[in-house]
Amino acid sequence: MKKSIVFLFLFTVSTLVLGQQDKIDNLIYRGENLFKIQNYEDAKKSLEEAVKLGANEPYVNYMLGVSYLKMPSATEQLKASAIFEKIENANAISELPKEVNYYMAQAFHKNLQLEKASKYYDKYMKSLSASDSKLRAEVELEMMKSENAKRLLSQQKDINIQRMAPPINTEFTEYNPVVSADQSVMAFTSLRPDQRTGQSSEEIYITFKKSGDWGQPNKIAINTSENVGTAGISPDGQQMLVFIGSADKGNLFMMKKESEGWSQPAVLEGLNSRDLESTASITPDSKKIYFASNRPGGFGGMDIWVATKQANGTWGDIENLGKEVNSKYDEDAPFIHPDMKTLYFTSNGNKSMGGRDIFKTNLIGGNWTSPENMGYPINTPLNDNYFTLSADGSKGYFSSDRPGGYGGQDIYFFDMPEKYSNIPLTMLKGKITAGEDEQPVPTKIKLIDNENNTKVDYVYDPDPNTGNYLIILPPGKNYDLIIESEGYLPYTLNINVPNQTYFYELYQKINLKLIKQFDVVVGQEVSVNNAFYDTEQNGTYSPRQANEAMLVQSDSLDVYDMMDAIIAAEDTAAFNYLMDLMYSVNPIDDVDFTVNEDAMEIASRTYYYDESDTTTLESRVVEGETIYSLPTMYVTEEAEKQKKEKAQKPKATYDKSLLEPVYKIYFGVGEAEFEEKYKAQLQEIYDKIQEHEELGIQISGYASAEGDPDFNRKLSNKRAIEVVNFFNYKGVVRRRIIAKGYGSTRADTQNAAENRRVEVQIVDLNKVDR
């Protein structure tokens, strides 16, 4: 009986073992067949299960390791190194196809085991015959990348790469972040399954920063069934370049921000071809677009090209950036920095660490410098791409499939250390409002470089909902800002940008008011408040400066006009200092313009439309366009002048008794014309102010509280206007007339005649409240 039990037990175990082995064999058989037809995804699943159940044959591990390497996910690819280490430790390499050396090198390369990678690249190269020229070239390229990785790893930069947290990154793929210059807007591409069909497609999401945090991304609805993706964004976040198409054919389009979302994509006339245009970046002056395309005439694969905006609004004069930037490999994802001299792009060429890397080149003397790899840890042997940098050079954004992400590619950012930062710029953040309640007003802006009288357009029209605008300017320049606001005559503000060697920030608040004299618009007031944030002032304006300002290197002195000399002298530090202010300062709405007024430029100017000597619209021709504007307001000089006038107390040159009389002009019931007898009285007033420029006339209108209020007010204003006209016809300009309309607020209920009067009084213009 005992023997029967033992026999039954052994038979059961043997059956289970045989059954397990059969399952393993079946999994291996299925995995091998899938591997042979290059269905690596399903092969991986079968082989993984076989290994988990105990399979450990060298060829099984080889197939699994190769399958891991063929996966699109970097996380999966990195699993290959542990599998190939098992083969290495078992001394089983000789039992496998010679390609095992190449795949082992690839696995160790991706995992930064670079000495091992070199060893196996070399072994594989030696196994190839001289006739395998194409394969040898491929291996040589990977060997160069491995050596690049060794060098860059030994020169690791002190940069802390941070993954953006949800809701930006998700379990899906997020990539190609594009960020506005003031870091208030970010758009990116995401590959997510459609909730209706379940199929994955590329779509654009946009998010806005509020109180220092990015908000919930929202999908931008675009009427197309094709994939759509971010391609670039203008510095002010008002225009977005987008890609529409497929992996091998697609074009670039432009979308513009509207009051309710975004416009539908408009084709970029003259820029696109029948081939692939994938990514792009527009300069701050809107005159050039750098883009990637595989069109004919390049050096191979994707190349970086530049298109120039033509006078008719189309794009032309398309040029390849040349062999210094482009190679026979793929160059993609260009980002032109707002300095318009620094270009970042992605390449999988022989200067990368492996996969796609981010590179930087500078435009010097009309030529692009040899691209520089951004180094580790920005770049890795995996795919690091779609780089964008803040205008002050302080913060970089990019996407990567490096391990540790939420899924697929993720978006990362980092604070750029001072020695790797960019050249200085001036950034002007402004806001234009109108009226007593300071509401946004539809506005268009032109910017003129006074050195060569050209329209440079380093500005975009203010946001119609907020009135906010952004201008990015190089140092050492003088500009005229010509502003056309709806309901107002165009006016010009002069801006002088110092030739600084540091980041310089200016907040500008402009408010417009119509000047009325009894319902008649007679002029407009332009008030400007400039608040400066200068990184070399060290706290002059705000305690925030100590934490925000990164000072330049003492030997990095000059910028644009001296760039050629700097390069010739190999003064690379001049390219690499930081301006860490732009993204950390408050947005325009948070700036307190009442703090430390002594350190600000505060000026206002009133333009009266009847004064032909000071308010006639002046014309200037810029690039063939005739532009009209009120006389230029030199804000810096005007602010200084008004500050001095405020501090001084001018001595009166007139007899103060002139200010005492109040002259009353009475009108008949329902009448708006005064009687002849009052003309002598008004002439007397006119004669008295002629000798004293500082004297003016205050005219006050009154109305009855009885009857229709609107009728009474209008009648009262007509009477006051009659008195104003008397002095106007005599040559008294509007700026010397102060209009006070009291309506029925001071009506006399006892004497009706008093409600039909206009009062006239001589006043000191330097002391009267306008």
Side-chain angles (χ1 to χ4, degrees), residues 533-584:
Y533 287 81
D534 181 336
T535 61
E536 289 198 335
Q537 296 286 337
N538 284 335
T540 300
Y541 300 104
S542 165
R544 294 167 62 94
Q545 299 274 34
N547 186 47
E548 293 168 345
M550 293 288 190
L551 302 181
V552 301
Q553 303 291 329
S554 59
D555 60 345
S556 301
L557 297 177
D558 285 299
V559 285
Y560 282 82
D561 294 337
M562 298 184 66
M563 291 303 287
D564 288 342
I566 291 171
I567 292 301
E570 297 184 354
D571 184 5
T572 56
F575 281 108
N576 296 320
Y577 58 80
L578 180 66
M579 300 164 290
D580 189 26
L581 184 60
M582 176 174 164
Y583 284 117
S584 53

Side-chain angles (χ1 to χ4, degrees), residues 356-413:
R356 295 189 293 271
D357 278 9
I358 299 162
F359 291 82
K360 169 186 171 184
T361 178
N362 296 100
L363 183 64
I364 306 298
N367 297 311
W368 293 100
T369 60
S370 179
E372 170 193 352
N373 190 300
M374 293 291 287
Y376 183 83
I378 297 173
N379 290 319
T380 69
L382 301 168
N383 290 310
D384 310 285
N385 44 28
Y386 301 113
F387 180 78
T388 184
L389 183 70
S390 64
D392 64 354
S394 67
K395 193 176 292 291
Y397 296 82
F398 67 102
S399 52
S400 175
D401 60 2
R402 65 187 60 196
Y406 290 99
Q409 289 192 59
D410 280 321
I411 297 173
Y412 294 80
F413 71 97

